[in-house]
Amino acid sequence: MASRAVPERDAIPPATRWVRWFGEIGIDDVGLVGGKNASLGEMLRELSPLGVPVPDGFAVTAEAYRYCLEAAGLSEEIRAIYAGRDPQSVEDLEQRSRRLRGRILQAELPEDLELEILAAYRELARRSGAEDPFVAVRSSATAEDLPTASFAGAHQTLLGVRGEAELLQAVRECFASLHTPRAIRYREDMGFDHDKVLLSVGVQRMVRSDLASSGVIFTLDTETGFREVVVIDAVWGLGENIVQGKVVPDEFKVHKPTLLQGYRPLVSKKLGGKEFKLVFNEHTHLLENLPVSTAQREAYCLSDAEALTLADWALKIEAHYSRRRGQPTPMDIEFAKDGLTGQLFIVQARPETIHSQKTGLALEVFRLEGQGPVLTQGIAVGEKIAAGAARVIHDPSGIARFQPGEVLVTRATDPDWEPIMKIASAIVTERGGRTSHAAIVARELGIPAVVGTGDATRAITAGQEVTVSCAEGEVGRVYAGRLEFSTQTLDPSTLGPTRTQILMNVGDPEQAFKLALWPGDGVGLARMEFIFASYVQVHPLALTRYATLAPAVQAQVDRLTKGYADKTEYFVDKLSQGIATLAAAFYPRPVILRFSDFKTNEYAHLLGGEAFEPKEENPMIGWRGASRYYHPDYKEGFLLEVAAVKRVREAMGLKNLKVMIPFCRTPEEGRRVLEVLKEGGLERGLEELEVYVMAEIPSNVLEAEAFAELFDGFSIGSNDLTQLILGVDRDSAQVAPLFDERLPSVKRACAMLLETAHAKGRKVGICGQAPSDYPEFAAFLVEHGIDSISLNPDSVWRIKSRILEAEAALQKGEAT
């Protein structure tokens, strides 16, 4: 039923009873205006002076919703419709929802309520300087946006509402949305009484992000719960495309501790597909999802400066809510950029409801044991593995066919899909990013999801048995068949502290936030080669000597470095992001980065590398490590590595990053490398920089005293050291059985190094494979006073137990 005729402007009294301006809302008004609108009011009043802009607006209170029902005589009728509902029947849910919403939409708003809403709208017009301004009309239930229940997407939001008649109709539609099927089901799942949940309506001046960009911000990592980063997802146009999973957004990650210190720690950014943008048609007042131009798809929709600004605001909002609740409160925030003014706004904030509810540090670790063909891959959501029969559903009409335990495969999901998502073993979508609807629900349900695959509904056959793995880093994979996998629950509290530092060998930045939650003292070996291969993918000299490349190779380099006017900046930018992610994850614990140690044949496999690498008979003992760094045929490439490290330490403030020189044959070579580091702006001892050297050549042991004069410490590379002491190629099948780090000659070399280095006041660690494979070798090192042992992540628990035993035995022996 249409609303009564809109009265003349001068006939409307000022708002007094049913409307609250956001700036006047206090924490005690949450029961009146719901979680979301109350939080907006708090931000306007308390955070705006801190520099966090929020669009002006007002709330039609939850009491107004109750008043509307009572005035229309609907309260008892609504209770009657809910009575006797079969919670297992989707059909029953749909029928009752239609009746409930129909009755509310047919009811007129009480006249005094209408007058107050219109008075507030006209005041908003006066404040904004525009007659009949466009507004966003947003629902907010009194049980919504709580720390334990978000109700995200369950209620109605209408964008681009303009004019008084449209506004009144929008308010009624929001009131009715309290009774959508997804809202009803969510309340029942969360244990809320339907009769006790009310709904308020927020009316905000609409930010024209359809002409610019928008997105979401989390003040923790959404996959692991790691709390020291701000994660920003952004798209062109309105943000609904993110929530609905229709596009893959740009992603930015900012390190919180060093941002608070005044640095610019944008530690990671990834370009999303952004295939569509949701825009508002001013003529039809309808939303349209339009294709994005190639130029916009290949450009970030936020500048680095804007991402850092949003992260700064997010920290202020998180601090505000943490003070309010008296405990740390990670936040889920929405932002919008006005395309008319270029100004950024925060448009919504609520507590994050998944990772923030977890207590204790017990970790469930999934490991894929079997192998099979990869059918498709995308963004991993969560860290679990699940297997089941694939149910390929192209549109909501196929939802009824879904059976419990199946793997849902579809293009994208929205809240209407939630009833079957709750019974799925895993979810696979073609579209969407980490903050899409499918990703959010999968995290909440604790099931793995692979989103943004691009081809899942074509690559996976209906009924096919598949395994969905999100336990292999940021890339989630769907394998053919039911593969074997194992799970292990680890409780760090069961193991006490050790005298010996327990570090980890970590090469993949995509695993860093997860591994940083494990008990440990830092990273003893971060391999730059992995970051080269996965982040950079191109030989550094192919960028510094681009003009010498063959035309076909130039074309490949051009595609890879698209968007960078300076090709060497591409290298420094990408490499610094990979390094910074590792350093940020473990901050302030030490992270020791080993400069690149590819062999010549491995460098040649990088894009453009073949033109710059010699053919060697034995690359293992050829032109590698330190000998490359000062050589005129590679020095300029090494200086790019140095520039990336310098950016991480100085621009991003990650001073916990230390560096290590591999395969340094002589002290003279060490001196020459230190000179090149200084030339590139890194000087040992300045800005807390420590420089280590690998001890992996017999000369490192025999001349340990001279090396100790140059470096802050040693890290034993047991693989190469064993190989070179024994003269064994460990990759040769014929002599590989002779390779054994536990042989007396190898152990004696380690003991010699420890004695000499400690006499010179230098630290000694080990980052080779031996302690991870052989607990007895780890115990031997402990007995000889090694300072740190860096282990493969999967062996930390097992070896730490052995180290504790060795330390206890050693202490007992000393006591006697």
Side-chain angles (χ1 to χ4, degrees):
M1 180 182 296
S3 178
R4 61 178 60 84
V6 175
E8 295 296 326
R9 293 178 184 271
D10 56 6
I12 299 177
T16 56
R17 186 178 182 189
W18 306 117
V19 168
R20 296 285 192 280
W21 284 93
F22 285 146
E24 300 166 359
I25 294 171
I27 194 67
D28 295 333
D29 291 321
V30 171
L32 287 176
V33 298
K36 184 189 307 172
N37 296 332
S39 65
L40 284 173
E42 291 175 45
M43 285 191 290
L44 276 167
R45 187 184 68 247
E46 300 180 22
L47 296 183
S48 291
L50 299 179
V52 180
V54 183
D56 197 7
F58 58 90
V60 181
T61 69
E63 287 298 326
Y65 166 80
R66 191 197 303 273
Y67 173 50
C68 180
L69 296 189
E70 292 174 349
L74 293 178
S75 298
E76 290 302 322
E77 183 177 349
I78 288 174
R79 293 189 189 97
I81 294 174
Y82 272 114
R85 194 186 99 64
D86 179 2
Q88 304 303 317
S89 171
V90 174
E91 183 179 357
D92 179 69
L93 173 66
E94 294 282 350
Q95 289 178 351
R96 292 176 192 260
S97 172
R98 281 195 295 270
R99 288 175 60 195
L100 289 161
R101 286 179 285 136
R103 293 296 291 120
I104 293 174
L105 288 172
Q106 290 169 9
E108 288 187 344
L109 297 175
E111 185 175 6
D112 55 344
L113 173 59
E114 278 194 2
L115 293 177
E116 287 202 16
I117 294 171
L118 296 180
Y121 181 62
R122 292 175 183 179
E123 173 60 18
L124 185 63
R126 187 191 66 78
R127 293 184 183 187
S128 63
E131 185 174 348
D132 291 338
F134 287 108
V135 292
V137 182
R138 313 167 75 98
S139 303
S140 182
T142 53
E144 188 174 359
D145 299 328
L146 302 176
T148 56
S150 72
F151 281 82
H155 306 116
Q156 184 73 287
T157 290
L158 296 104
L159 303 175
V161 173
R162 187 179 192 183
E164 297 176 348
E166 279 190 24
L167 174 59
L168 295 175
Q169 177 62 19
V171 170
R172 283 210 307 280
E173 290 184 30
C174 287
F175 281 167
S177 74
L178 187 63
H179 307 284
T180 61
R182 55 184 180 265
I184 295 170
R185 185 64 177 263
Y186 197 90
R187 285 196 296 275
E188 292 173 346
D189 290 343
M190 298 301 295
F192 289 102
D193 186 333
H194 295 300
D195 196 42
K196 294 181 179 178
V197 177
L198 306 178
L199 187 133
S200 69
V201 180
V203 180
Q204 287 177 278
R205 182 173 64 83
M206 186 171 166
V207 178
R208 295 302 302 273
S209 59
D210 60 312
L211 304 177
S213 59
S214 60
V216 296
I217 309 169
F218 284 88
T219 60
L220 48 63
D221 179 57
T222 52
E223 299 313 311
T224 63
F226 179 73
R227 294 197 178 191
E228 299 305 316
V229 289
V230 174
V231 180
I232 303 167
D233 281 357
V235 295
W236 296 115
L238 300 168
E240 281 298 298
N241 275 341
I242 291 182
V243 177
Q244 294 177 6
K246 292 185 177 180
V247 301
V248 177
D250 294 339
E251 182 184 76
F252 304 82
K253 293 181 180 178
V254 180
H255 185 233
K256 292 157 99 173
T258 48
L259 179 66
L260 289 170
Q261 295 171 30
Y263 292 99
R264 298 174 57 80
L266 182 55
V267 298
S268 173
K269 62 178 182 178
K270 295 182 179 179
L271 191 68
K274 308 185 296 295
E275 301 88 342
F276 300 95
K277 61 179 176 181
L278 192 64
V279 301
F280 175 66
N281 187 316
E282 294 189 18
H283 301 292
T284 63
H285 289 200
L286 298 176
L287 299 179
E288 300 174 347
N289 221 5
L290 304 179
V292 175
S293 69
T294 301
Q296 279 196 313
R297 291 186 64 182
E298 294 176 352
Y300 286 99
C301 54
L302 290 174
S303 68
D304 291 358
E306 288 171 331
L308 290 165
T309 295
L310 289 171
D312 178 63
W313 293 350
L315 291 188
K316 291 174 180 175
I317 295 169
E318 181 181 55
H320 169 72
Y321 279 90
S322 297
R323 286 192 300 270
R324 281 290 194 191
R325 295 186 62 216
Q327 65 185 73
T329 302
M331 297 298 294
D332 172 357
I333 301 165
E334 296 180 12
F335 75 90
K337 180 178 179 180
D338 196 310
L340 299 175
T341 65
Q343 187 178 3
L344 291 166
F345 291 92
I346 298 297
V347 297
Q348 184 169 307
R350 55 179 170 242
E352 192 272 346
T353 59
I354 300 170
H355 291 290
S356 58
Q357 300 306 306
K358 295 179 180 178
T359 58
L361 288 177
L363 303 169
E364 189 177 22
V365 179
F366 284 70
R367 183 185 304 282
L368 190 66
E369 306 290 354
Q371 295 182 339
V374 177
L375 300 175
T376 188
Q377 64 183 39
I379 300 169
V381 177
E383 300 167 12
K384 295 183 178 181
I385 301 173
R391 176 71 66 178
V392 181
I393 301 178
H394 294 281
D395 57 67
S397 64
I399 285 177
R401 300 195 307 271
F402 195 83
Q403 299 298 312
E406 291 182 330
V407 175
L408 173 60
V409 181
T410 187
R411 292 190 180 91
T413 66
D414 60 37
D416 290 326
W417 293 66
E418 289 179 18
I420 67 168
M421 297 171 77
K422 296 177 188 298
I423 59 174
S425 61
I427 299 168
V428 182
T429 67
E430 291 186 341
R431 301 172 184 167
R434 298 189 187 282
T435 49
S436 65
H437 176 266
I440 291 170
V441 172
R443 288 189 203 99
E444 190 166 315
L445 296 174
I447 60 175
V450 178
V451 300
T453 63
D455 64 351
T457 62
R458 301 185 302 278
I460 300 172
T461 304
Q464 182 178 13
E465 296 288 333
V466 298
T467 300
V468 180
S469 173
C470 294
E472 304 168 77
E474 290 194 353
V475 177
R477 296 180 176 88
V478 182
Y479 294 91
R482 286 180 177 263
L483 304 185
E484 292 293 324
F485 64 90
S486 61
T487 62
Q488 183 181 12
T489 301
L490 306 173
D491 185 356
S493 65
T494 60
L495 297 177
T498 57
R499 180 199 64 80
T500 309
Q501 275 195 318
I502 305 299
L503 307 174
M504 277 189 277
N505 298 333
V506 182
D508 184 358
E510 295 175 357
Q511 296 272 13
F513 293 147
K514 171 180 135 182
L515 295 176
L517 298 174
W518 293 28
D521 300 310
V523 175
L525 174 62
R527 297 180 177 91
M528 188 179 282
E529 303 89 75
F530 191 99
I531 306 172
F532 253 90
S534 58
Y535 277 63
V536 179
Q537 303 174 23
V538 62
H539 196 288
L541 299 186
L543 303 175
T544 61
R545 305 179 190 179
Y546 170 80
T548 68
L549 299 175
V553 179
Q554 283 186 342
Q556 289 179 278
V557 172
D558 288 343
R559 285 193 293 272
L560 188 65
T561 60
K562 188 176 294 183
Y564 289 85
D566 180 349
K567 296 190 183 302
T568 60
E569 171 57 21
Y570 164 84
F571 185 96
V572 174
D573 190 39
K574 293 294 185 182
L575 187 59
S576 66
Q577 288 178 42
I579 296 168
T581 299
L582 288 170
F586 288 87
Y587 183 89
R589 293 170 288 174
V591 172
I592 302 175
L593 173 74
R594 187 179 70 188
F595 282 111
S596 63
D597 192 26
F598 281 130
K599 319 306 182 287
T600 50
N601 58 323
E602 294 168 335
Y603 272 113
H605 290 152
L606 294 171
L607 176 59
E610 193 170 352
F612 304 106
E613 296 298 328
K615 300 288 193 298
E616 294 186 307
E617 290 296 326
N618 192 346
M620 183 67 73
I621 54 173
W623 192 39
R624 60 176 285 199
S627 61
R628 297 180 66 96
Y629 302 160
Y630 57 86
H631 196 287
D633 287 346
Y634 187 75
K635 177 181 173 182
E636 64 201 71
F638 179 63
L639 284 172
L640 293 183
E641 298 181 35
V642 174
V645 171
K646 179 179 171 67
R647 181 172 297 181
V648 172
R649 285 179 51 84
E650 297 183 9
M652 302 185 194
L654 294 162
K655 301 293 178 61
N656 62 319
L657 179 66
K658 308 173 190 302
V659 295
M660 184 156 62
I661 309 302
F663 224 75
C664 187
R665 294 176 170 94
T666 68
E668 174 58 27
E669 203 166 48
R671 275 188 285 271
R672 296 184 71 174
V673 171
L674 290 174
E675 289 172 0
V676 179
L677 282 176
K678 186 175 181 179
E679 180 183 336
L682 294 178
E683 184 173 356
R684 178 188 161 218
L686 292 183
E687 298 291 331
E688 308 168 36
L689 177 64
E690 293 183 4
V691 182
Y692 291 78
V693 65
M694 291 288 294
E696 54 191 340
I697 307 170
S699 63
N700 300 139
V701 177
L702 298 173
E703 294 192 73
E705 191 169 349
F707 280 104
E709 295 289 342
L710 299 171
F711 297 102
D712 294 286
F714 298 82
S715 184
I716 299 170
S718 56
N719 296 348
D720 275 350
L721 184 62
T722 302
Q723 185 170 232
L724 293 173
I725 286 176
L726 299 176
V728 169
D729 179 358
R730 65 180 185 269
D731 295 326
S732 169
Q734 284 75 18
V735 297
L738 298 173
F739 183 93
D740 191 338
E741 299 96 324
R742 296 166 295 177
L743 290 173
S745 56
V746 180
K747 293 171 72 174
R748 185 176 180 185
C750 293
M752 287 174 58
L753 177 68
L754 281 160
E755 182 179 354
T756 304
H758 285 162
K760 296 289 291 184
R762 297 298 186 225
K763 294 174 284 189
V764 179
I766 185 168
C767 61
Q769 183 69 26
S772 294
D773 289 342
Y774 307 119
E776 67 271 25
F777 189 78
F780 161 79
L781 294 171
V782 169
E783 291 166 7
H784 283 77
I786 198 159
D787 298 285
S788 64
I789 296 180
S790 194
L791 301 164
N792 294 335
D794 59 2
S795 63
V796 167
W797 258 263
R798 177 170 54 89
I799 303 303
K800 185 174 182 179
S801 298
R802 186 68 182 89
I803 290 172
L804 281 166
E805 293 173 6
E807 289 182 348
L810 188 63
Q811 187 175 16
K812 184 178 180 181
E814 290 173 352
T816 58

